[in-house]
Amino acid sequence: MNTIFFEQPWIVGVIGTVITIVTLYGWAQTGNSIALKTGIGFALATLLLLIANMFIVTDAEQVRTWLANTSSELQNNDFDKVLKKISPDCSDRVTNVAERMKNVKFTIAKVTKIHSIEVQSDKDGVTAQIRMNAFVAGESNGISAKVPRWVALTLEKKNREWLITDFEDKEPQHEFMTSSDLTDAFSKSLQGDR
């Protein structure tokens, strides 16, 4: 529910506006004071939710901002800033990528599509699972390359900062190829051919 209220304010705005217009139209047609009060109430509630949205930043919104900042830092080759975003409890894969990253001079580093951001809170803290596509271009040891990749990141929130704990990358079409909708459609088409 927080996702609707605080991460997708346009839904609240559209629904609130439609209900307000309908109730005020009902008041204009009937003169019923209850419809007028209801319309004003919906207008105020919609306005308050939209104002609250400007001041409340959810964990998923923080992660989106973190991704944009980190890709910008990587593109600018600010490795010190990027390395500070790695958890001391990170996996070996993260450590290996961090070591290799130091040998690359990046010219482009950007997130091209975020497939999902799943934030979980429990007694141990807050973690985020991110599935996305990214694109990097750069040079290492005199060899230039442009590399699109599918990336999964695991982040943990410590002292109000998001830190990388795990990293996985695959071919850029990985998300598409593992989509359950695609798998179901493919299976149904094979069954239809029989």
Side-chain angles (χ1 to χ4, degrees):
M1 194 58 119
N2 288 344
T3 301
I4 293 172
F5 287 135
F6 300 119
E7 292 177 20
Q8 299 173 342
W10 64 272
I11 293 175
V12 172
V14 168
I15 292 172
T17 301
V18 168
I19 292 173
T20 299
I21 289 171
V22 168
T23 55
L24 291 178
Y25 179 77
W27 167 73
Q29 295 299 311
T30 65
N32 185 334
S33 65
I34 293 174
L36 175 64
K37 292 174 186 173
T38 303
I40 292 171
F42 275 114
L44 289 174
T46 301
L47 184 63
L48 289 174
L49 284 171
L50 292 174
I51 290 171
N53 183 304
M54 292 188 305
F55 297 103
I56 295 173
V57 179
T58 65
D59 286 333
E61 290 173 322
Q62 289 175 7
V63 169
R64 286 181 189 279
T65 302
W66 183 92
L67 285 170
N69 292 341
T70 303
S71 62
S72 177
E73 292 163 0
L74 193 58
Q75 182 168 309
N76 294 329
N77 297 293
D78 292 333
F79 298 122
D80 291 338
K81 290 181 181 178
V82 175
L83 293 174
K84 287 179 184 175
K85 295 180 178 189
I86 296 175
S87 171
D89 303 325
C90 69
S91 68
D92 291 338
R93 288 185 291 208
V94 174
T95 305
N96 292 337
V97 169
E99 286 301 315
R100 288 185 312 198
M101 178 182 69
K102 295 175 187 176
N103 298 324
V104 179
K105 183 177 186 318
F106 290 96
T107 54
I108 298 173
K110 63 182 177 178
V111 174
T112 55
K113 178 165 179 60
I114 297 173
H115 299 288
S116 67
I117 297 175
E118 296 176 15
V119 178
Q120 294 119 12
S121 298
D122 59 25
K123 60 182 173 65
D124 296 328
V126 181
T127 59
Q129 303 287 326
I130 305 153
R131 296 168 66 92
M132 64 184 177
N133 279 77
F135 179 82
V136 294
E139 182 182 317
S140 177
N141 299 323
I143 300 171
S144 296
K146 295 179 180 180
V147 184
R149 297 300 285 170
W150 174 88
V151 178
L153 282 177
T154 303
L155 307 178
E156 66 180 351
K157 193 173 188 181
K158 285 194 175 179
N159 301 324
R160 305 179 118 191
E161 295 291 327
W162 289 99
L163 301 174
I164 302 169
T165 59
D166 202 6
F167 170 89
E168 180 182 6
D169 72 317
K170 296 186 184 282
E171 295 301 318
Q173 63 274 20
H174 177 74
E175 189 78 19
F176 177 71
M177 297 307 287
T178 59
S179 168
S180 61
D181 294 337
L182 176 66
T183 305
D184 293 344
F186 185 69
S187 296
K188 287 178 184 176
S189 72
L190 288 177
Q191 290 171 357
D193 290 343
R194 292 182 185 174

